Amino acid sequence: MARINQNYKSLQAGYLFPEIARRTREFTERNPGVELIRLGIGDTTLPLTDSVIKELHNTVDRMADANTYSGYGMEQGNLDLRQALVKHYKKYGVYLEPDEIFISDGAKPDSANIQSIFAPDSVIAVQDPVYPVYVDSAVIGGKTKGFVDGRYKGIVYMDCTEENGFFPDVPKEKVDLIYLCSPNNPTGTVATHDQLKKFVDYAHDNNAVIIFDSAYASFISDETLPRSIFEIEGAEEHAIEINSFSKLAGFTGVRLGWTIVPHKLQVEGTAPGEVQALWNRRQTTMFNGASNIVQPAGVAVLSAQGQKESQKLIDYYMENAEIIRKGLNDIGIKTFGGVNAPYIWAKALKGYDSWEFFDKLMSEAHVVCTPGSGFGNGGEGYFRLSAFGERENIKSAVKSIKENLKI
Ligand code: MLT
């Protein structure tokens, strides 16, 4: 008889964002006519840029012509796009080979799927609070053994607190895979060179691999902060990097990302190139490549003109972040992040846990946030606002919070 993967039953509640959508829907049903301003999920709102639109039209036209139509492409992605990324990384002093880059349909699936090339009993370390995908995919993969006091046994949680500036110390114990996200989702903080170097050294000493999620790297304006883990000496032997066009160019619905698995990356019992070859094997077996309509648009994003246009989107969202931060600070709410990242992490009012504050903000100010505890125990007592909204909505949300939130 067929049986389900019982590990799914170990997952706590629903995935965070559908859960927020469910609660929001219920509120709207109970309060018809109330317009909610949604600053919960980090979903982009500005339209695609001119260069992207032009290239999308071109590719659709090519697909409509028998002479230029194309079917399956390379599972690893179009060479043009990978070469454009090689060039993009050179700006940060990072030198890659095109076959170290694997084009994907976004960072989220890769950040979960990457676990499958490592031993099923690998011990995973995550920042807490944490983007839920890393943890939930570990649970689904059977890497955890029960849920106690809000944490999965078998996962090593690295506390990110106000005291440590929301960046953790290296684990005290030996772990195999370490997820780091910088600029961080949800706290909006960015790791420095020194902080990342400590993790690279830890990975070196413990034969561990860092899975570095840099999906928000394009929001870093401080030139002293690293945009890639590969800016850190020695990282190509110990890290994988996952990134995306979603937030960089408004591709949340278009879907395009990339993962870098360096040739030099080695784990126990492997020679250089073997881990890269394993991810290649995984992708060629289970993935048929990103859409051939979309990939040339990725090349357009990375062109000089495309980057100028994307920068405008980023600047717009970062101005939103400034409006939110200032508005919250004006009424005495303490905020973090939102300077080199599009997320504002804020302290819930005294006496409220994250979900209670979520309800209060929704019922009094009609603003939807993301409750911090949805990102793990470490997020309890905090909430996250996304700066990806439209300007008028951002302004209305801040105005409403100032006028209607009972403090
Ligand atoms: C978020 O709100 O954390 C992100 O939009 C979710 C995602 O990128 O999957």
Side-chain angles (χ1 to χ4, degrees), residues 381-396:
Y382 293 87
F383 65 101
R384 191 196 77 177
L385 290 178
S386 154
F388 287 114
E390 285 157 9
R391 181 64 46 80
E392 281 318 304
N393 279 341
I394 297 283
K395 284 186 178 163
S396 307

Side-chain angles (χ1 to χ4, degrees), residues 15 17 40-43 108 131 133 185 216 247 343 370 375 384:
Y15 184 66
F17 296 106
I41 192 165
D43 195 5
K108 182 178 178 176
Y131 179 47
V133 178
N185 180 9
Y216 301 93
K247 312 292 157 68
Y343 292 124
T370 305
F375 298 100
R384 191 196 77 177

